[in-house]
Amino acid sequence: MNRASTLSPALPRLSSSWTADLSLLLVAVVWGSSYLAAKTVLESAPLYLFLFARFGLTVVLMLPFVWKHLRHSTREEWFVGGILGLFLLAIFSLETRGVSLTTATNAGLIISLTVVLVPLVEGAAFRRFPGWGLLGAVGLSFAGTALLTVREGWNLHFNAGDVLIFGAALARAFNMTYTQKLTAGKELNSLALTVIQFIVVTVGTGVVSVATIDPSDLRFPVDAKFWVLTLYLTLFCTLFAFYIQLTMIRRTSPSRVGLLMGTEPIFAALFAMQLGGEQLSWQGWLGGAILVGATFWGRKAEERRRALTQAQTAPA
């Protein structure tokens, strides 16, 4: 659910642009399924114990591939990775708690606000105007989000889960912005940074679990559903997805990456409705369509702004 590269570039790579596109689309599919999977897991386990299991397994499975990078990591990489790991801990805490309190459909759609929030946070952090096109997309995306919450009589009803998911989208935007600020101009090993972040999340969720769960209840569920879904989230939604991003994102164009990855909320809604039995009102469908459209508009507006800035700053 936070999107960073993880696995070693030494693993086999495929070079076909079609393979890259299909792989990235598959990432959108598995990420779309993650909201319903996490919601189901939380029916049988406390939030932080589940996150400890998920990230603990991730770190253990990654270590054979990244041990040499971790062993030679610098003090600065541990410092930067530690800060970004705290961001990641906040993101997963908000996102996973949020999905337990709202529908998987709403979670998948509202989290897509990250796309339009990143340029706003970047604009504040780097003191630059994000552009009217992006601001228009932000306004439209908030209108779509409001429609998702409409109940009978056109009453807006933001529940705690929707608010937490919005908080997770904002935390993602801060994470992406400060990743750029903390790593700009520095030679840092991306694999070491990523595994350090996952170690921070594992330690953090372990500490919170011990501090908040009664010792008599501090044990993992024995139920097969918990472990099957936790392994699915670890292997496919974390390791596989991040490896595909690392190896394939450079084998296709940024606009195609945006188009493919922008389908994640659509798959989230499909999984939630087909497998989770969730339903959307016609206002919810309209809000979801507006929200997805606004994120694509926001992505395009940001691409145009960046291209214009590069053209203006390029040497004559």
Side-chain angles (χ1 to χ4, degrees):
M1 297 165 149
N2 183 29
R3 324 310 191 195
S5 57
T6 58
L7 294 184
S8 169
L11 293 177
R13 296 182 180 182
L14 300 172
S15 57
S16 159
S17 61
W18 275 105
T19 301
D21 288 349
L22 289 173
S23 299
L24 289 165
L25 183 62
L26 185 55
V27 169
V29 172
V30 297
W31 275 342
S33 71
S34 68
Y35 301 96
L36 181 61
K39 189 175 180 68
T40 304
V41 166
L42 291 175
E43 293 171 1
S44 57
L47 166 67
Y48 287 103
L49 197 61
F50 155 60
L51 290 177
F52 175 76
R54 176 177 177 180
F55 283 93
L57 282 170
T58 301
V59 170
V60 168
L61 291 171
M62 285 177 65
L63 278 179
F65 302 102
V66 301
W67 174 246
K68 71 175 182 179
H69 299 277
L70 191 62
R71 191 160 55 90
H72 294 106
S73 56
T74 64
R75 205 175 274 182
E76 186 169 33
E77 284 164 350
W78 277 96
F79 174 74
V80 172
I83 292 174
L84 297 180
L86 292 174
F87 270 115
L88 200 61
L89 176 60
I91 290 165
F92 275 93
S93 298
L94 291 166
E95 190 173 303
T96 314
R97 175 60 72 199
V99 81
S100 73
L101 298 174
T102 188
T103 62
T105 306
N106 275 24
L109 289 165
I110 293 172
I111 203 70
S112 67
L113 284 168
T114 303
V115 172
V116 293
L117 290 173
V118 168
L120 289 183
V121 174
E122 281 186 354
F126 294 99
R127 298 181 181 180
R128 62 176 178 238
F129 181 59
W132 291 110
L134 190 279
L135 292 179
V138 170
L140 192 60
S141 65
F142 283 130
T145 303
L147 280 171
L148 277 176
T149 72
V150 166
R151 299 295 181 267
E152 289 183 11
W154 287 90
N155 295 316
L156 298 183
H157 179 73
F158 284 98
N159 66 29
D162 294 331
V163 174
L164 289 171
I165 294 294
F166 175 78
L170 189 58
R172 281 192 186 190
F174 273 98
N175 183 54
M176 291 179 188
T177 300
Y178 281 92
T179 297
Q180 181 184 351
K181 284 200 78 169
L182 290 169
T183 59
K186 299 175 183 175
E187 289 189 11
L188 301 173
N189 186 306
S190 62
L191 295 174
L193 280 179
T194 302
V195 75
I196 289 167
Q197 290 178 64
F198 287 168
I199 289 170
V200 169
V201 176
T202 303
V203 172
T205 53
V207 168
V208 175
S209 294
V210 170
T212 60
I213 301 173
D214 188 279
S216 60
D217 296 325
L218 195 60
R219 57 182 181 274
F220 294 113
V222 291
D223 137 35
K225 180 171 69 174
F226 170 84
W227 288 109
V228 168
L229 288 175
T230 299
L231 279 169
Y232 171 74
L233 288 164
T234 299
L235 295 173
F236 291 94
C237 301
T238 306
L239 295 175
F240 167 76
F242 289 128
Y243 171 65
I244 289 297
Q245 271 205 308
L246 175 64
T247 56
M248 298 299 178
I249 206 164
R250 291 168 291 181
R251 289 165 163 67
T252 188
S253 68
S255 58
R256 289 172 75 84
V257 171
L259 178 66
L260 293 165
M261 301 307 292
T263 60
E264 179 189 340
I266 298 170
F267 288 115
L270 289 174
F271 277 106
M273 286 184 268
Q274 294 302 313
L275 299 179
E278 295 182 4
Q279 293 186 351
L280 273 180
S281 63
W282 71 265
Q283 295 101 322
W285 279 107
L286 177 60
I290 289 173
L291 187 52
V292 171
T295 60
F296 281 111
W297 177 18
R299 200 185 300 269
K300 285 292 183 186
E302 180 62 5
E303 285 175 3
R304 285 195 296 272
R305 188 198 66 76
R306 288 183 188 277
L308 182 60
T309 301
Q310 287 172 0
Q312 290 172 342
T313 56

